[in-house]
Amino acid sequence: MSQPKTTPTAKGRTAELPFAPLDFFLSSVRDPHNPTHCGICINGAFVECMVTERDVPLNQGALRKSPAVNQSPELWGAVVRFLLLPRTDEQLDRLLILLSTCSCQVVNPHIIGYHMKGLKQAEQSMSRAHMYTQEAGTGRDKATFSLGRCALIVNLFCVLGFFIGPKGLTSVTKGLTKPWPSRFTDLMPHGTDSFVQTMLQWYRFVPDTVICQVTAEVLRLNKSFLIPSLVKYRFLDTVVNSTRRLVDLTLVDIRSDDKAVRGGAARRFCYGALDFYRYFHCVRLQRPKYQEELLRGFETKIVQLCSILVYLSSDPNMPNLGSNNNPTQEDIYEDLAFYAQDLFRNSYMHLYPHPDIPVHPKIKAFDGPNFAGSPWCSPARGCAFCVWSMRRLVITIIGLLCDGTLCSAYGCRHSIIPGFGKNLQPSTRCRTMPFCGRECEARAWMDDTYPHQRVCTIVRSLVDRGGGSALFSAAVNGPTKQAEAIIEHILKRWEQAGVNQDDFQLVYDWDNLIMEGREDHRPEGNVLLPGYDDYDKIITLLSSGGRGLKAEYIDRLARWPSEVIREASLLKEQPFWNQDIDC
């Protein structure tokens, strides 16, 4: 009788060797400290789990068709346990050494197949890390960030980021008896502090910005629950510093005489700019007070980085990559320009004593229409209403409800701690507001201040008259150009339907009440810190000699309507008001 084939483990023991990709991957990482095979081999098995067709590269197109999530949510649990297990620096370094050391049975055809596929995918995964291998000045640093040590980690983060992103999560949760993720602990098994610390630790050892992107997607799903930990451990330092490093490397490499260096710089720039964009896109999906908390202290540098990235995206020295599996590059830089303008105004950078900031003309172009206010503005309510009319705000509120992971019942535990999948059910009537159960829905139905039976009818009417919940969700999650077109379409439909302005006020007031019941760790004060000392020099370089458009300045004399009202009221209190003054 033949004996089952075995392979040595990291500690010298032997274990049965499963050859089915899923079983092989699960058995290899069952002990997160001691993987039983090298990183290349494990990576190959993971790729086999994702893509069943031969010779198909693992990219976003292949992932959208991947049956992996329908095979076993156990796979994703194993990935999260492997990546997010708390480790000391010594333990993490030892793990990477084990992944880079191959003692696999390379004579076995299954092992050979996993190695070949893993090696091919590793080269693709590590191409996005070209910036770090090129930046490392010594042989030891380059060896530390090697293909064998880091390719598996980079690939796991890339695929995880896709599947928990807006396009991937639907396929993850659809049609499964036990959807994944079904609880916030599925993505943060050891708590929010541990999650942020672990992500920062991974970035120190495997400095790829995809780690920032995955953190952003977890923030998007968990809303305000993750924010205190991101602020506590200054995660934004890593995002901003990595992007500044991207800028510095790109400025040098796109001027190289070596075509390969310029091509690598362009690919690196696309990857880094996309991860920077995804992080701030997810931040902007938060409430204004949470955005302020997350960005505090870095507002000036972020505006400057957005401006530089927009300039570099159209620099004549930047090679044209053609099709790079990311057809929305133009939309990304449009969004970054919009984010910069929005942050400039909402952080009051236009007020003295903050210095003038020269910006890309695209940023200045957004300032005209977006800072003009609207007929539906309610200046007394604050600045947000001057940029986004009451109707636009309601579109955002409904869009966030459609994708909500927080219960809509005031005071419910799940209104603070997110839930996913079947833990949340839409209202039986409006099919928009999420509740963690019928008990919460019934309690909200009879709420004293804003009974759901009243709010629900209005929300359902607004959704139907606006064109359906899918449009509202796209208005929140889509690129700026697409989102703006959808918003205008919804506004036009509402105008044609003659929606009562009181309905918008009711939805806004109800939403404020729900927000009051959620935790707010927002610190006091909002002091803008200086930006980069060499920013003006960089902008001059990128906008001179025909390299780019001349930088412009945002109008610092323009004021929010609320500012105008406040300043006028202060003037009227002065003793000389309404007195004739001889000149």
Side-chain angles (χ1 to χ4, degrees):
M1 182 175 178
S2 62
Q3 297 296 321
K5 296 180 180 181
T6 62
T7 187
T9 67
K11 292 186 177 181
R13 299 189 301 270
T14 59
E16 289 192 9
L17 184 63
F19 290 126
L22 179 59
D23 294 335
F24 186 91
F25 176 82
L26 293 176
S27 66
S28 297
V29 300
R30 184 164 287 120
D31 182 353
H33 288 300
N34 298 291
T36 56
H37 297 88
C38 71
I40 297 298
C41 197
I42 298 173
N43 201 14
F46 182 69
V47 173
E48 288 275 1
C49 292
M50 296 293 110
V51 181
T52 56
E53 299 179 39
R54 182 179 294 273
D55 298 328
V56 174
L58 185 61
N59 53 35
Q60 290 194 9
L63 286 174
R64 291 190 185 98
K65 303 175 183 177
S66 173
V69 291
N70 292 322
Q71 291 174 358
S72 173
E74 184 182 5
L75 170 66
W76 299 108
V79 170
V80 169
R81 284 192 300 273
F82 180 73
L83 291 176
L84 298 183
L85 178 73
R87 300 177 176 95
T88 64
D89 285 356
E90 292 75 15
Q91 289 174 325
L92 188 54
D93 186 58
R94 177 180 176 275
L95 171 65
L96 294 175
I97 292 173
L98 289 175
L99 292 175
S100 64
T101 305
C102 181
S103 59
C104 304
Q105 295 179 340
V106 292
V107 296
N108 185 291
H110 296 280
I111 298 294
I112 293 174
Y114 291 150
H115 263 277
M116 292 180 63
K117 179 154 280 192
L119 187 61
K120 185 176 181 180
Q121 182 60 39
E123 292 171 351
Q124 292 180 349
S125 297
M126 294 298 285
S127 68
R128 58 172 289 126
H130 181 65
M131 59 185 294
Y132 305 106
T133 56
Q134 198 174 44
E135 178 192 15
T138 66
R140 182 181 181 280
D141 290 336
K142 290 186 178 182
T144 299
F145 194 73
S146 66
L147 183 146
R149 279 173 63 98
C150 303
L152 171 64
I153 306 304
V154 172
N155 198 36
L156 290 178
F157 273 119
C158 286
V159 178
L160 178 63
F162 171 81
F163 273 122
I164 64 174
K167 295 180 180 179
L169 190 60
T170 301
S171 63
V172 172
T173 59
K174 185 178 180 181
L176 293 177
T177 303
K178 294 182 178 179
W180 188 94
S182 61
R183 308 177 299 275
F184 79 99
T185 51
D186 288 345
L187 292 170
M188 298 183 293
H190 304 284
T192 57
D193 279 3
S194 176
F195 172 82
V196 174
Q197 288 177 297
T198 300
M199 297 300 274
L200 290 171
Q201 184 188 39
W202 272 122
Y203 188 81
R204 292 200 308 273
F205 282 82
V206 185
D208 193 297
T209 53
V210 69
I211 293 171
C212 301
Q213 179 190 347
V214 172
T215 304
E217 299 299 350
V218 175
L219 168 64
R220 181 181 62 83
L221 293 172
N222 286 276
K223 305 300 185 199
S224 59
F225 191 62
L226 186 61
I227 291 175
S229 296
L230 291 173
V231 174
K232 178 180 179 181
Y233 296 104
R234 296 181 61 82
F235 191 86
L236 191 59
D237 281 20
T238 297
V239 178
V240 170
N241 291 337
S242 66
T243 307
R244 176 57 204 254
R245 180 166 52 182
L246 169 71
V247 166
D248 292 340
L249 290 170
T250 304
L251 287 171
V252 174
D253 288 349
I254 60 175
R255 301 298 299 272
S256 172
D257 294 331
D258 190 331
K259 184 177 180 180
V261 172
R262 295 198 306 274
R267 288 190 296 273
R268 174 187 66 207
F269 178 78
C270 290
Y271 286 131
L274 175 62
D275 293 337
F276 178 82
Y277 158 77
R278 281 304 305 168
Y279 187 85
F280 287 103
H281 178 75
C282 292
V283 167
R284 291 196 76 256
L285 294 179
Q286 310 302 312
R287 293 286 176 172
K289 61 181 179 182
Y290 296 139
Q291 292 183 40
E292 183 178 327
E293 182 179 346
L294 284 165
L295 303 179
R296 189 180 302 276
F298 289 90
E299 297 92 340
T300 306
K301 287 184 176 180
I302 292 170
V303 170
Q304 292 175 337
L305 285 173
C306 287
S307 183
I308 295 173
L309 292 177
V310 174
Y311 264 112
L312 282 172
S313 69
S314 58
D315 191 282
N317 295 309
M318 182 74 73
N320 184 0
L321 296 179
S323 176
N324 58 356
N325 295 323
N326 186 14
T328 60
Q329 283 290 331
E330 183 178 348
D331 290 333
I332 289 173
Y333 302 119
E334 286 285 330
D335 283 4
L336 288 177
F338 173 75
Y339 295 169
Q341 180 275 335
D342 184 64
L343 184 57
F344 182 93
R345 287 300 186 185
N346 281 293
S347 300
Y348 289 87
M349 294 184 194
H350 56 281
L351 296 183
Y352 179 84
H354 306 305
D356 276 344
I357 301 179
V359 296
H360 192 281
K362 282 187 178 181
I363 299 175
K364 170 71 178 297
F366 274 115
D367 193 59
N370 289 334
F371 196 59
S374 75
W376 295 103
C377 264
S378 180
R381 289 192 168 274
C383 300
F385 272 85
C386 304
V387 179
W388 300 103
S389 69
M390 176 76 77
R391 297 188 174 200
R392 287 175 173 262
L393 280 171
V394 170
I395 292 174
T396 302
I397 291 170
I398 295 176
L400 292 174
L401 285 173
C402 293
D403 297 335
T405 57
L406 295 172
C407 181
S408 299
Y410 180 80
C412 170
R413 179 174 179 269
H414 277 167
S415 71
I416 300 173
I417 299 178
F420 302 101
K422 292 188 178 180
N423 281 355
L424 290 179
Q425 305 167 17
S427 164
T428 53
R429 174 172 289 191
C430 68
R431 306 299 300 171
T432 300
M433 296 184 189
F435 292 97
C436 61
R438 297 306 174 212
E439 181 179 345
C440 279
E441 184 178 1
R443 180 157 50 85
W445 192 263
M446 303 303 294
D447 184 84
D448 292 336
T449 309
Y450 294 100
H452 183 58
Q453 57 181 321
R454 181 184 175 196
V455 179
C456 185
T457 303
I458 293 175
V459 169
R460 180 70 266 171
S461 174
L462 290 174
V463 170
D464 289 342
R465 294 182 177 187
S469 58
L471 282 180
F472 288 86
S473 180
V476 171
N477 292 308
T480 298
K481 278 187 175 179
Q482 175 187 336
E484 185 61 29
I486 293 173
I487 289 172
E488 292 299 329
H489 176 72
I490 294 174
L491 291 173
K492 185 175 181 179
R493 288 180 62 97
W494 278 348
E495 183 179 1
Q496 292 173 346
V499 179
N500 192 319
Q501 178 67 10
D502 292 341
D503 291 348
F504 300 118
Q505 186 69 56
L506 177 70
V507 173
Y508 173 77
D509 290 341
W510 166 82
D511 186 67
N512 271 348
L513 174 70
I514 298 301
M515 289 303 298
E516 288 174 5
R518 295 174 180 166
E519 293 180 331
D520 182 9
H521 302 276
R522 180 182 176 187
E524 294 296 328
N526 185 29
V527 178
L528 291 180
L529 298 181
Y532 296 109
D533 293 336
D534 59 347
Y535 172 74
D536 287 1
K537 180 180 178 181
I538 294 174
I539 292 300
T540 301
L541 174 68
L542 293 173
S543 60
S544 61
R547 290 186 66 178
L549 299 173
K550 183 179 179 181
E552 298 182 6
Y553 292 89
I554 294 178
D555 184 7
R556 299 190 65 180
L557 296 179
R559 292 289 183 270
W560 297 100
S562 57
E563 292 180 272
V564 174
I565 292 174
R566 183 171 60 252
E567 291 172 2
S569 64
L570 290 174
L571 281 174
K572 292 179 180 179
E573 294 176 2
Q574 302 303 314
F576 57 78
W577 185 253
N578 283 335
Q579 293 184 9
D580 293 332
I581 299 177
D582 296 330
C583 298

